């Protein structure tokens, strides 16, 4: 699966994109966040703000949204365009 | 007709407007909004850096325009949003709506801006003249403006 | 700054817009509305004849713009209204408002149009292709739109 | 005094402007309307619609507004610009 990061989150994590196989036991966005937060203190902090938004295959989704191995998941802070 | 562009290049308001006017004698009113990079008196801005989510951003704007079309009797909608590094005074966004009636044109134009501000995946970073950068934070007031449209008609 | 013109000549939206943008980096948003002569499917229009009350019309528009300035934090207001004989598709009116903030620009632009519609001394006569003329009647819906501004903020 | 007529009213009356001395006994707009309606059946009808608007010296005014000999009075139907 592909995971994209945007805005301040991308900058904090130092990466805009991860390609990885769907981790064992990860069925939804909430599971994925828990998994990614294990990486280190920075990931723990940046993914734990409670204000992050998420999209699955370019459609907004909540933490309960199911994900599969071919999916494109995006994580980003509240938007500030216009 | 709905037309959406996300681009680095600047846009020409006169040209975009003429496309909306375009010799269609059913058009009674055209509402246009542009957003510009505003300088900050207390912390002068060197530039505003805009990033987006290619694909999803265009789809989000398309969906917002389609919602406007379902809500008001519109003729054409044009949205242009720039990305990249923009300096103070530069244009960021153009929303233009034509309709037979002015209330529809005004309503749809403001609706699109309000929803764009809170839903379209764009992120802005202020690059200050002192060398520091600062990600713009989403405003509660923008959220409230967008939520108005869930209540009133 | 408030600028008002009542004129026979057409106006150029791109040019009017550039004047509002005019390298002022305090401008964060510009709202523009144009009204056009709309053709009528059931009774095709040869032209729309517009007359005004020289002196009072300009003063009325100036007063409406001043009211908008008192109500919202605005930078510039530009109003252009044409008179004379206009054919379908031609531009009648331009209202452009610049502000630091989009809500002010939108609010003031719509306010000015709503008040203009019900207060500025202009009268329209439809000249139909069958040779007959018909004075346009004031609409209750316009009156109601203008009265909204007495209640909401 | 000067009296101006606009729009459909101008067309119905066949004139856009009257110059006349302030008639005897005319103190306000209401008096002036009563006086002008005496002219003939057309004036009676056109000035009696109840929807006419009035301005004295280019400022909107009601029927009770006082008028003087040097004033510019305008009578017109509801406006339809924009």
């Amino acid at each position: 699966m592909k995971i994209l990061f945007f805005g301040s989150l991308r900058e904090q994590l130092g990466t805009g994109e991860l390609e990885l196989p769907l981790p064992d036991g990860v069925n939804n966005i909430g599971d994925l966040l828990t998994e990614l937060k294990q990486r280190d203190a920075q990931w723990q902090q940046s993914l734990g703000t409670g204000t992050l938004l998420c999209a699955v295959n370019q459609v907004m989704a909540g933490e309960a949204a199911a994900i599969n191995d071919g999916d494109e998941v995006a994580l980003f802070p509240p938007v500030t365009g216009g | 007709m709905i037309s959406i562009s996300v681009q680095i290049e600047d846009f020409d308001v006169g040209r975009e407007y003429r496309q909306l006017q375009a010799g269609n004698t059913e058009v009674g009113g055209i509402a246009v909004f542009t957003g510009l990079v505003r300088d900050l008196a207390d912390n002068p801005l060197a530039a505003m850096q805009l990033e987006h989510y290619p694909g999803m951003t265009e789809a989000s704007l398309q969906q917002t325009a389609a919602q406007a079309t379902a809500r008001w009797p519109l003729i054409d909608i044009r949205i242009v949003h720039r990305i990249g590094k923009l300096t103070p005074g530069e244009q960021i966004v153009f929303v233009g709506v034509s309709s037979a009636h002015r209330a529809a044109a005004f309503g749809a134009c403001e609706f699109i801006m309000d929803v764009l501000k809170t839903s379209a995946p764009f992120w802005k970073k202020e690059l200050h003249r002192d060398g520091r950068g600062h990600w713009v934070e989403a405003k509660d007031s923008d959220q409230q403006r967008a939520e108005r449209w869930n209540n009133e008609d």
Side-chain angles (χ1 to χ4, degrees), chain A, chain B:
Chain A
M1 67 183 305
K2 190 193 278 188
I3 311 176
L4 304 174
F5 308 100
F6 292 100
S8 54
L9 182 65
R10 175 182 53 71
E11 215 170 64
Q12 288 161 19
L13 300 180
T15 183
E17 181 171 341
L18 287 183
E19 286 261 10
L20 74 178
L22 187 67
D24 284 344
V26 167
N27 297 309
N28 60 35
I29 295 292
D31 298 339
L32 180 65
L33 285 170
T34 303
E35 179 76 18
L36 293 173
K37 282 193 250 182
Q38 315 287 327
R39 295 198 150 209
D40 70 21
Q42 179 64 57
W43 287 67
Q44 173 76 37
Q45 187 194 327
S46 296
L47 296 177
T49 62
T51 60
L52 282 192
L53 300 176
C54 180
V56 177
N57 298 325
Q58 308 198 349
V59 175
M60 295 301 294
E63 294 212 358
I67 47 178
N68 298 296
D69 197 26
D71 287 345
E72 175 178 300
V73 170
L75 297 167
F76 45 80
V79 303
T80 56
Chain B
M1 204 198 64
I2 294 170
S3 169
I4 311 277
S5 300
V6 177
Q7 62 188 42
I8 293 170
E9 304 76 42
D10 198 7
F11 50 82
D12 178 336
V13 169
R15 186 193 182 93
E16 297 296 342
Y17 171 81
R18 279 193 298 280
Q19 295 282 338
L20 289 167
Q21 187 186 3
N24 179 340
T25 59
E26 288 174 32
V27 176
I30 299 175
V32 165
F33 178 82
T34 64
L36 298 96
V37 179
R38 189 160 60 93
D39 209 351
L40 305 168
D42 50 343
N43 193 353
L45 209 58
M48 186 74 89
Q49 179 80 42
L50 269 130
E51 83 179 56
H52 78 307
Y53 182 173
M56 182 172 169
T57 304
E58 292 82 351
S60 168
L61 296 174
Q62 181 76 36
Q63 189 189 1
T64 302
Q67 285 168 351
T69 302
R71 191 162 178 150
W72 289 277
L74 306 178
I75 296 171
D76 289 318
I77 297 176
R78 172 71 170 143
I79 305 175
V80 187
H81 201 299
R82 294 177 68 196
I83 51 172
K85 196 178 283 190
L86 307 179
T87 55
E90 279 199 80
Q91 305 180 124
I92 303 172
V93 61
F94 174 95
V95 174
V97 177
S98 63
S99 173
H101 303 286
R102 96 178 173 286
F106 266 119
C109 189
E110 192 163 13
F111 168 85
I112 290 169
M113 273 307 302
D114 288 348
V115 175
L116 180 159
K117 278 267 186 186
T118 53
S119 301
F122 289 102
W123 300 271
K124 278 200 198 96
K125 187 179 187 180
E126 297 169 358
L127 306 175
H128 295 286
R129 286 194 213 147
D130 62 11
R132 290 200 282 192
H134 175 250
W135 287 95
V136 175
E137 299 211 11
K139 288 190 227 139
D140 285 347
S141 58
D142 282 332
Q143 196 62 44
Q144 284 154 16
R145 287 190 70 76
E147 282 167 9
R148 287 185 310 158
W149 299 103
N150 299 330
N151 307 318
E152 64 173 82
D153 66 316

